[in-house]
Amino acid sequence: MFMFQRAISVTPVRSSTAYIARASSLPTARQLHASPIASKTPTEKVAEVAGKVNKSVGRGLASAIETGEQVTEKTKQTIGATKDRAAGDAKSTAAKLKGTAHELTEKASGLASEAKKKTNE
């Protein structure tokens, strides 16, 4: 124990008669440290930075994939709505054409019957 203590000197204070004990600036024994070195090796530092970069790039790619999925879903919805609208338009146009065709058929049959009557007379 004695070899780990510092030398203490007593010096008088000028303004009073009290004495102050202070530690000497020179230790009597060298202190031993058992703690490991806190710094990292270059390999550990590179591995840590590479890990951070990998996580950052991974987050960015995951965000890009998620955005792509959202855009794909919106496109599917838009195409589906457009397809439904086009199908509705096609059905209404077909119905109109069917009605017009029916009217023309009736007119043609009426004209044919009139022509037949005229030829029989």
Side-chain angles (χ1 to χ4, degrees):
M1 279 288 207
F2 178 68
M3 67 182 194
F4 294 112
Q5 295 178 350
R6 293 181 177 231
I8 298 177
S9 62
V10 178
T11 55
V13 178
R14 290 185 186 178
S15 62
S16 68
T17 59
Y19 291 98
I20 298 175
R22 69 180 175 139
S24 170
S25 62
L26 299 174
T28 57
R30 189 170 179 193
Q31 297 281 334
L32 297 175
H33 294 284
S35 63
I37 298 175
S39 65
K40 296 179 183 179
T41 65
T43 306
E44 291 172 336
K45 289 179 184 179
V46 168
E48 182 180 338
V49 170
K52 287 180 182 179
V53 168
N54 187 23
K55 288 179 184 177
S56 176
V57 168
R59 285 187 199 112
L61 290 176
S63 175
I65 290 170
E66 188 173 312
T67 303
E69 289 174 349
Q70 291 172 355
V71 168
T72 302
E73 188 62 34
K74 287 181 182 178
T75 304
K76 284 180 182 178
Q77 291 173 356
T78 303
I79 289 172
T82 304
K83 188 196 292 187
D84 292 343
R85 190 175 338 128
D89 290 346
K91 285 180 182 178
S92 68
T93 304
K96 287 179 186 176
L97 290 174
K98 195 174 193 179
T100 306
H102 184 64
E103 288 175 14
L104 291 174
T105 305
E106 286 179 5
K107 266 187 182 180
S109 64
L111 289 172
S113 64
E114 279 182 31
K116 192 175 191 182
K117 284 182 188 178
K118 284 185 181 180
T119 54
N120 285 342
E121 293 179 2

